[in-house]
Amino acid sequence: MRRVALLCLGLAVGAASAAEAQLTMQMSNGWSFTFGGNVNAFAIYESQSTSGGTATPGGLVGVGGKGFNLRTGLLPAFAVFDAKGKEGNTDLGVHFGFAPQIQCGTDGGGANVHDCFGANIDMRQVYLTAGGSWGQILAGREIGLFLRQNILTDQTLFGIGATGGINSGGTTLGRIGFGYVYPNFVAQMTYSTAAGRPGQLSIGIFQPAGLGGDAGTVYGQTQVPRVEAEATWKAGDVMVWVNGTAQNAKEPVTDVSKTAFGGGGGVRFGRAQFSLTGSGYYGKGIGTTVQFNGVGGGGALGGLGVGGDGELRKSYGFIGQLTFTPAASKVTVAGSYGSSYLKATSGEPDFKTENTLISGGLYFQATKSLKVVGEGNYAWTKNSVAGTPKNKTFAPTFGLMLFF
């Protein structure tokens, strides 16, 4: 479980846009340079129950652990550099996003280490854009399209959500594996129709990935790029979105290939004082926490979309979320419930792993740039088929977020 948060995976998108960049320089050649980002820190105490008995693939909550940690939330600290210019009728831009975390992580026995001798910096975003009235092309490393809106509308972006393990390094999970699969920041070439209209379509080719199971990558040869797409529509207080992905991979020795696929979507009704959001996904071969073969190897970060018989496992999940901000108040109250499920194939011993998170929080906008957060998160993992005792955990937190 400690490895889960080493990948995860804080969300950088939206961090710099939450507050206006405070440094802007205008160049003599017409280009402009901006710098923005955020720094956040959360004090977390987590207590897992000792009565759990679930050990099926994809489970994210452990048994019997207790611990205190000072760490980055789901959104990492972020430093974002942008340069933009216009040449003829073409708008050009480059973007670099650095995403460090504040804590050191753990030793081999699970204890926090005192010395880490250097920050953990994730080069999350590196891309260029070229656009005009015809739309925009993005080329480089950026968040994927599949399930992008599902995570960007998640309240736990401004908190911690599920921790991903006591005393773990990296960012927390939020609802990764508890309502959606992580989109990841990946190499891509994506076309989007022009912004500023009610509807927008984005479609791109992405760096391909193998398909992984419990013991690691099963189908590792990728001869075609992955395809991802997203369509959004916004009118008044309502936003609707759908997204999808398809990835083919082959095992060259047996000459067997599989195509994993997934689809997601959601709807959000939002006003200044109230918002209601619902989203979900369904897929085959995509995994339940990270997609496809994840970081390689087995475990929760290995993808888990391929069963022991070589067939593709089904996975699905959902989130329901409500936020309320009283009139003339700086406090937002938010609550959400969501689950992710991973099902055995027909050739495996039957199981259905469920990861569920109930999250509630108070988010106080102390100044234009400073947010104070108090959040409570109750999560469990269970096997819905066997009926074994579920693994349960509770993690209250207090944190500060400063956007600039």
Side-chain angles (χ1 to χ4, degrees):
M1 210 52 52
R2 293 190 302 273
R3 294 184 59 220
V4 173
L6 294 177
L7 178 73
C8 295
L9 292 165
L11 262 285
V13 171
S17 61
E20 294 181 2
Q22 293 183 355
L23 174 62
T24 301
M25 293 187 293
Q26 189 67 41
M27 308 300 181
S28 59
N29 62 359
W31 282 65
S32 63
F33 173 84
T34 60
F35 171 63
N38 90 93
V39 176
N40 70 80
F42 288 87
I44 307 169
Y45 180 79
E46 182 169 7
S47 177
Q48 299 172 346
S49 68
T50 58
S51 60
T54 299
T56 50
L60 295 174
V61 176
V63 178
K66 300 181 188 299
F68 174 84
N69 209 352
L70 280 169
R71 62 182 299 182
T72 300
L74 173 57
L75 191 69
F78 223 81
V80 177
F81 300 86
D82 273 297
K84 296 181 180 180
K86 187 165 187 174
E87 298 179 353
N89 294 322
T90 304
D91 297 313
L92 302 172
V94 293
H95 181 104
F96 295 87
F98 301 84
Q101 293 94 47
I102 66 171
Q103 76 278 16
C104 286
T106 61
D107 61 17
N112 282 327
V113 295
H114 181 269
D115 300 311
C116 54
F117 301 110
N120 177 17
I121 300 178
D122 183 356
M123 193 67 205
R124 192 63 55 99
Q125 296 167 302
V126 186
Y127 62 82
L128 65 86
T129 58
S133 59
W134 46 269
Q136 177 183 269
I137 293 173
L138 181 150
R141 180 185 173 99
E142 172 63 312
I143 190 171
L145 301 175
F146 176 54
L147 300 183
R148 176 173 66 173
Q149 293 299 332
N150 297 50
I151 193 170
L152 293 180
T153 54
D154 177 12
Q155 72 174 66
T156 66
L157 273 178
F158 297 100
I160 66 165
T163 65
I166 296 173
N167 296 341
S168 51
T171 68
T172 62
L173 286 177
R175 284 198 170 277
I176 299 167
F178 291 86
Y180 48 74
V181 185
Y182 183 56
N184 205 359
F185 289 78
V186 290
Q188 60 185 276
M189 292 184 176
T190 296
Y191 167 76
S192 298
T193 58
R197 301 172 182 173
Q200 185 174 40
L201 173 67
S202 298
I203 186 168
I205 57 173
F206 289 71
Q207 182 178 12
L211 307 180
D214 298 348
T217 300
V218 179
Y219 301 99
Q221 186 180 86
T222 51
Q223 297 175 287
V224 294
R226 181 169 68 260
V227 176
E228 296 189 17
E230 176 192 74
T232 61
W233 180 81
K234 186 173 183 180
D237 300 323
V238 178
M239 177 181 177
V240 180
W241 68 89
V242 293
N243 47 57
T245 185
Q247 173 69 66
N248 179 267
K250 181 179 181 180
E251 207 298 298
V253 176
T254 60
D255 196 33
V256 174
S257 65
K258 298 289 183 180
T259 298
F261 63 88
V267 58
R268 179 180 178 85
F269 175 85
R271 290 182 174 175
Q273 294 179 245
F274 170 82
S275 75
L276 181 63
T277 306
S279 64
Y281 74 93
Y282 174 86
K284 196 170 183 180
I286 63 173
T288 185
T289 302
V290 294
Q291 294 184 43
F292 307 115
N293 64 343
V295 297
L301 297 186
L304 304 181
V306 181
D309 58 353
E311 298 300 317
L312 302 184
R313 292 169 173 162
K314 297 176 182 178
S315 57
Y316 56 94
F318 68 91
I319 302 170
Q321 177 179 293
L322 175 68
T323 70
F324 175 69
T325 305
S329 174
K330 295 183 177 182
V331 176
T332 296
V333 182
S336 62
Y337 181 98
S339 303
S340 288
Y341 299 87
L342 180 69
K343 296 184 65 175
T345 67
S346 59
E348 294 183 289
D350 196 18
F351 71 85
K352 184 168 77 170
T353 302
E354 173 192 334
N355 294 309
T356 294
L357 171 66
I358 302 173
S359 179
L362 297 174
Y363 307 84
F364 173 58
Q365 198 68 44
T367 71
K368 179 181 178 181
S369 301
L370 178 64
K371 188 184 294 289
V372 181
V373 178
E375 196 177 81
N377 297 280
Y378 176 63
W380 66 80
T381 291
K382 72 175 184 179
N383 182 355
S384 300
V385 172
T388 52
K390 61 184 179 182
N391 308 346
K392 299 174 289 185
T393 187
F394 180 66
T397 185
F398 169 81
L400 301 170
M401 307 185 77
L402 180 62
F403 294 88
F404 61 91

